[in-house]
mmCIF file of all heavy atoms in Angstrom:
data_model
loop_
_atom_site.group_PDB
_atom_site.id
_atom_site.type_symbol
_atom_site.label_atom_id
_atom_site.label_comp_id
_atom_site.label_asym_id
_atom_site.label_seq_id
_atom_site.Cartn_x
_atom_site.Cartn_y
_atom_site.Cartn_z
ATOM 1 N N ILE A 94 121.705 6.245 173.111
ATOM 2 C CA ILE A 94 121.256 7.564 172.621
ATOM 3 C C ILE A 94 121.080 8.510 173.815
ATOM 4 O O ILE A 94 121.516 9.661 173.782
ATOM 5 C CB ILE A 94 119.944 7.410 171.810
ATOM 6 C CG1 ILE A 94 120.220 6.669 170.495
ATOM 7 C CG2 ILE A 94 119.279 8.756 171.570
ATOM 8 C CD1 ILE A 94 121.077 7.408 169.491
ATOM 9 N N GLY A 95 120.451 8.018 174.880
ATOM 10 C CA GLY A 95 120.244 8.875 176.064
ATOM 11 C C GLY A 95 121.563 9.289 176.690
ATOM 12 O O GLY A 95 121.781 10.457 177.021
ATOM 13 N N GLN A 96 122.453 8.326 176.853
ATOM 14 C CA GLN A 96 123.768 8.620 177.455
ATOM 15 C C GLN A 96 124.546 9.615 176.589
ATOM 16 O O GLN A 96 125.073 10.609 177.095
ATOM 17 C CB GLN A 96 124.584 7.320 177.562
ATOM 18 C CG GLN A 96 124.272 6.498 178.788
ATOM 19 C CD GLN A 96 124.927 7.056 180.046
ATOM 20 O OE1 GLN A 96 125.739 7.972 179.998
ATOM 21 N NE2 GLN A 96 124.529 6.526 181.189
ATOM 22 N N ILE A 97 124.637 9.332 175.293
ATOM 23 C CA ILE A 97 125.575 10.076 174.433
ATOM 24 C C ILE A 97 125.003 11.437 174.045
ATOM 25 O O ILE A 97 125.655 12.470 174.239
ATOM 26 C CB ILE A 97 125.940 9.212 173.204
ATOM 27 C CG1 ILE A 97 126.724 7.991 173.698
ATOM 28 C CG2 ILE A 97 126.748 10.020 172.194
ATOM 29 C CD1 ILE A 97 126.853 6.872 172.700
ATOM 30 N N LEU A 98 123.748 11.466 173.534
ATOM 31 C CA LEU A 98 123.171 12.781 173.179
ATOM 32 C C LEU A 98 123.011 13.637 174.436
ATOM 33 O O LEU A 98 123.111 14.862 174.380
ATOM 34 C CB LEU A 98 121.839 12.618 172.449
ATOM 35 C CG LEU A 98 121.905 11.962 171.063
ATOM 36 C CD1 LEU A 98 120.537 12.022 170.371
ATOM 37 C CD2 LEU A 98 122.965 12.606 170.171
ATOM 38 N N GLY A 99 122.799 12.992 175.575
ATOM 39 C CA GLY A 99 122.676 13.727 176.839
ATOM 40 C C GLY A 99 123.983 14.378 177.274
ATOM 41 O O GLY A 99 123.971 15.333 178.048
ATOM 42 N N ARG A 100 125.105 13.841 176.803
ATOM 43 C CA ARG A 100 126.401 14.453 177.152
ATOM 44 C C ARG A 100 126.767 15.587 176.196
ATOM 45 O O ARG A 100 127.539 16.469 176.550
ATOM 46 C CB ARG A 100 127.499 13.383 177.155
ATOM 47 C CG ARG A 100 127.304 12.412 178.311
ATOM 48 C CD ARG A 100 128.278 11.256 178.269
ATOM 49 N NE ARG A 100 127.879 10.275 179.279
ATOM 50 C CZ ARG A 100 128.730 9.672 180.107
ATOM 51 N NH1 ARG A 100 130.013 9.930 180.062
ATOM 52 N NH2 ARG A 100 128.270 8.793 180.977
ATOM 53 N N TYR A 101 126.216 15.573 174.962
ATOM 54 C CA TYR A 101 126.501 16.657 174.005
ATOM 55 C C TYR A 101 125.551 17.836 174.166
ATOM 56 O O TYR A 101 125.858 18.936 173.731
ATOM 57 C CB TYR A 101 126.321 16.171 172.562
ATOM 58 C CG TYR A 101 127.176 15.012 172.112
ATOM 59 C CD1 TYR A 101 126.747 14.192 171.065
ATOM 60 C CD2 TYR A 101 128.420 14.740 172.700
ATOM 61 C CE1 TYR A 101 127.521 13.134 170.620
ATOM 62 C CE2 TYR A 101 129.192 13.669 172.258
ATOM 63 C CZ TYR A 101 128.736 12.870 171.221
ATOM 64 O OH TYR A 101 129.490 11.819 170.778
ATOM 65 N N ASN A 102 124.367 17.552 174.671
ATOM 66 C CA ASN A 102 123.271 18.518 174.570
ATOM 67 C C ASN A 102 122.699 18.871 175.938
ATOM 68 O O ASN A 102 123.010 18.230 176.941
ATOM 69 C CB ASN A 102 122.154 17.928 173.688
ATOM 70 C CG ASN A 102 122.610 17.727 172.258
ATOM 71 O OD1 ASN A 102 122.669 18.678 171.492
ATOM 72 N ND2 ASN A 102 122.963 16.507 171.910
ATOM 73 N N ASP A 103 121.802 19.857 175.920
ATOM 74 C CA ASP A 103 121.134 20.306 177.156
ATOM 75 C C ASP A 103 119.686 19.824 177.217
ATOM 76 O O ASP A 103 118.992 20.046 178.208
ATOM 77 C CB ASP A 103 121.204 21.828 177.224
ATOM 78 C CG ASP A 103 122.645 22.299 177.192
ATOM 79 O OD1 ASP A 103 123.322 22.188 178.226
ATOM 80 O OD2 ASP A 103 123.117 22.716 176.113
ATOM 81 N N GLY A 104 119.250 19.194 176.135
ATOM 82 C CA GLY A 104 117.920 18.594 176.085
ATOM 83 C C GLY A 104 117.868 17.656 174.893
ATOM 84 O O GLY A 104 118.624 17.828 173.928
ATOM 85 N N ILE A 105 116.999 16.648 174.984
ATOM 86 C CA ILE A 105 116.816 15.708 173.860
ATOM 87 C C ILE A 105 115.322 15.660 173.564
ATOM 88 O O ILE A 105 114.526 15.312 174.442
ATOM 89 C CB ILE A 105 117.296 14.285 174.204
ATOM 90 C CG1 ILE A 105 118.762 14.284 174.674
ATOM 91 C CG2 ILE A 105 117.113 13.359 173.000
ATOM 92 C CD1 ILE A 105 119.227 12.917 175.193
ATOM 93 N N ALA A 106 114.958 16.015 172.336
ATOM 94 C CA ALA A 106 113.554 15.929 171.919
ATOM 95 C C ALA A 106 113.440 14.790 170.907
ATOM 96 O O ALA A 106 114.311 14.624 170.050
ATOM 97 C CB ALA A 106 113.114 17.250 171.304
ATOM 98 N N ILE A 107 112.365 14.014 171.026
ATOM 99 C CA ILE A 107 112.235 12.804 170.182
ATOM 100 C C ILE A 107 110.820 12.697 169.629
ATOM 101 O O ILE A 107 109.844 12.896 170.363
ATOM 102 C CB ILE A 107 112.543 11.521 170.996
ATOM 103 C CG1 ILE A 107 113.931 11.594 171.625
ATOM 104 C CG2 ILE A 107 112.422 10.274 170.103
ATOM 105 C CD1 ILE A 107 114.239 10.449 172.575
ATOM 106 N N ARG A 108 110.711 12.358 168.332
ATOM 107 C CA ARG A 108 109.433 11.920 167.740
ATOM 108 C C ARG A 108 109.604 10.473 167.305
ATOM 109 O O ARG A 108 110.416 10.154 166.442
ATOM 110 C CB ARG A 108 109.046 12.790 166.541
ATOM 111 C CG ARG A 108 107.893 12.191 165.735
ATOM 112 C CD ARG A 108 107.308 13.128 164.719
ATOM 113 N NE ARG A 108 106.453 14.114 165.360
ATOM 114 C CZ ARG A 108 105.630 14.929 164.700
ATOM 115 N NH1 ARG A 108 105.540 14.863 163.387
ATOM 116 N NH2 ARG A 108 104.884 15.791 165.348
ATOM 117 N N GLN A 109 108.836 9.592 167.937
ATOM 118 C CA GLN A 109 108.851 8.159 167.580
ATOM 119 C C GLN A 109 107.409 7.682 167.759
ATOM 120 O O GLN A 109 106.958 7.459 168.886
ATOM 121 C CB GLN A 109 109.846 7.422 168.487
ATOM 122 C CG GLN A 109 109.897 5.909 168.475
ATOM 123 C CD GLN A 109 109.652 5.172 167.176
ATOM 124 O OE1 GLN A 109 108.564 5.293 166.590
ATOM 125 N NE2 GLN A 109 110.588 4.377 166.748
ATOM 126 N N VAL A 110 106.675 7.544 166.628
ATOM 127 C CA VAL A 110 105.237 7.281 166.716
ATOM 128 C C VAL A 110 104.862 5.829 166.414
ATOM 129 O O VAL A 110 103.671 5.507 166.367
ATOM 130 C CB VAL A 110 104.438 8.227 165.766
ATOM 131 C CG1 VAL A 110 104.625 9.682 166.149
ATOM 132 C CG2 VAL A 110 104.804 8.003 164.304
ATOM 133 N N ASP A 111 105.837 4.945 166.229
ATOM 134 C CA ASP A 111 105.494 3.551 165.898
ATOM 135 C C ASP A 111 104.661 2.941 167.028
ATOM 136 O O ASP A 111 105.052 2.993 168.206
ATOM 137 C CB ASP A 111 106.761 2.707 165.697
ATOM 138 C CG ASP A 111 107.547 3.137 164.468
ATOM 139 O OD1 ASP A 111 107.000 3.876 163.636
ATOM 140 O OD2 ASP A 111 108.731 2.738 164.367
ATOM 141 N N TRP A 112 103.539 2.338 166.641
ATOM 142 C CA TRP A 112 102.611 1.782 167.623
ATOM 143 C C TRP A 112 103.288 0.671 168.440
ATOM 144 O O TRP A 112 103.900 -0.230 167.884
ATOM 145 C CB TRP A 112 101.349 1.245 166.919
ATOM 146 C CG TRP A 112 100.350 0.693 167.888
ATOM 147 C CD1 TRP A 112 99.958 -0.593 168.022
ATOM 148 C CD2 TRP A 112 99.624 1.448 168.878
ATOM 149 N NE1 TRP A 112 99.032 -0.707 169.035
ATOM 150 C CE2 TRP A 112 98.812 0.524 169.577
ATOM 151 C CE3 TRP A 112 99.588 2.795 169.247
ATOM 152 C CZ2 TRP A 112 97.966 0.913 170.614
ATOM 153 C CZ3 TRP A 112 98.739 3.176 170.284
ATOM 154 C CH2 TRP A 112 97.944 2.242 170.952
ATOM 155 N N GLY A 113 103.206 0.806 169.753
ATOM 156 C CA GLY A 113 103.795 -0.200 170.644
ATOM 157 C C GLY A 113 105.282 0.005 170.879
ATOM 158 O O GLY A 113 105.901 -0.763 171.623
ATOM 159 N N VAL A 114 105.856 1.028 170.265
ATOM 160 C CA VAL A 114 107.302 1.260 170.370
ATOM 161 C C VAL A 114 107.625 2.648 170.934
ATOM 162 O O VAL A 114 108.455 2.803 171.833
ATOM 163 C CB VAL A 114 107.973 1.115 168.972
ATOM 164 C CG1 VAL A 114 109.456 1.485 169.031
ATOM 165 C CG2 VAL A 114 107.783 -0.291 168.420
ATOM 166 N N GLY A 115 106.948 3.672 170.398
ATOM 167 C CA GLY A 115 107.355 5.061 170.604
ATOM 168 C C GLY A 115 107.500 5.476 172.052
ATOM 169 O O GLY A 115 108.563 5.972 172.469
#
Side-chain angles (χ1 to χ4, degrees):
I94 291 293
Q96 276 282 352
I97 294 165
L98 294 187
R100 291 174 189 224
Y101 301 155
N102 295 282
D103 302 284
I105 305 173
I107 304 173
R108 168 169 283 192
Q109 171 35 299
V110 298
D111 293 346
W112 181 246
V114 174

